[in-house]
Amino acid sequence: MRTMSYAKLFRTLAVTAGILSILPACAASAGAGAGAETGASTSESARRGPRSSRTLITGDELRSSGATTLYDAIQRLRPHWLANRNAVNRAGSEIVVYQGSVNLGGLEALRQIEPGYIDHVRWLDASEASNTLPGLGSRSVAGAIVITNPGNN
């Protein structure tokens, strides 16, 4: 059996530790490439399509939902947006609906809108809604659903 000197053993361990410490950085930069998804091959990514956003519904998603009202489309695609209505009564705040910068009212307004002609719909949490939407003043809101039509970006 061959023995290794302590100095050589220490150098080997130091080099190995150095290599292991840079591997996570290499993996992170490789995963940050265009369209890369961690743990999935390119063909898997293409089959699944783009990941859906928790705060955005595109017009294509709306049209492919098969829903006849915007409320039904949101209920199918992002039900967590509407689930906040249970907290509304307890907190005294509500979810408001805006089309561009116009306040349409509460969630019932979504039942009057067809999803076919919408560019996208975005969810704003309470803080973002209060800070960015006009006309809320000191009104307490649980969040906002903002509708954008084509050409009104």
Side-chain angles (χ1 to χ4, degrees), residues 37 41-50:
E37 291 183 37
S41 71
T42 304
S43 60
E44 287 176 34
S45 299
R47 260 195 325 272
R48 283 194 314 242

Side-chain angles (χ1 to χ4, degrees), residues 54-56 81 84 95 121-125 128 142-145:
R54 288 187 53 81
T55 60
L56 178 76
W81 291 9
N84 288 328
I95 297 171
V121 181
R122 183 171 301 279
W123 168 259
L124 302 178
D125 64 25
E128 190 175 4
I145 295 173

Side-chain angles (χ1 to χ4, degrees), residues 57 78 86 105 115 129:
I57 303 174
R78 305 292 187 284
N86 295 332

Side-chain angles (χ1 to χ4, degrees), residues 57-66 77 115 118-120:
I57 303 174
T58 65
D60 290 338
E61 286 179 282
L62 291 169
R63 287 182 283 283
S64 67
S65 74
L77 299 168
I118 296 173
D119 186 63
H120 65 272

Side-chain angles (χ1 to χ4, degrees), residues 11-141:
R11 278 194 307 268
T12 303
L13 288 174
V15 169
T16 303
I19 290 171
L20 290 176
S21 69
I22 64 168
L23 284 178
C26 292
S29 66
E37 291 183 37
T38 306
S41 71
T42 304
S43 60
E44 287 176 34
S45 299
R47 260 195 325 272
R48 283 194 314 242
R51 268 193 190 159
S52 62
S53 166
R54 288 187 53 81
T55 60
L56 178 76
I57 303 174
T58 65
D60 290 338
E61 286 179 282
L62 291 169
R63 287 182 283 283
S64 67
S65 74
T68 57
T69 70
L70 188 52
Y71 185 95
D72 292 338
I74 292 171
Q75 191 169 39
R76 290 178 190 175
L77 299 168
R78 305 292 187 284
H80 60 277
W81 291 9
L82 304 174
N84 288 328
R85 72 176 181 263
N86 295 332
V88 169
N89 297 333
R90 287 178 278 155
S93 58
E94 65 179 325
I95 297 171
V96 293
V97 177
Y98 273 73
Q99 188 162 10
S101 60
V102 178
N103 186 342
L104 300 179
L107 291 175
E108 287 304 311
L110 298 173
R111 295 186 188 275
Q112 309 302 316
I113 301 171
E114 292 182 31
Y117 302 103
I118 296 173
D119 186 63
H120 65 272
V121 181
R122 183 171 301 279
W123 168 259
L124 302 178
D125 64 25
S127 174
E128 190 175 4
S130 296
N131 291 329
T132 60
L133 295 175
L136 291 179
S138 60
R139 184 171 159 195
S140 176
V141 295

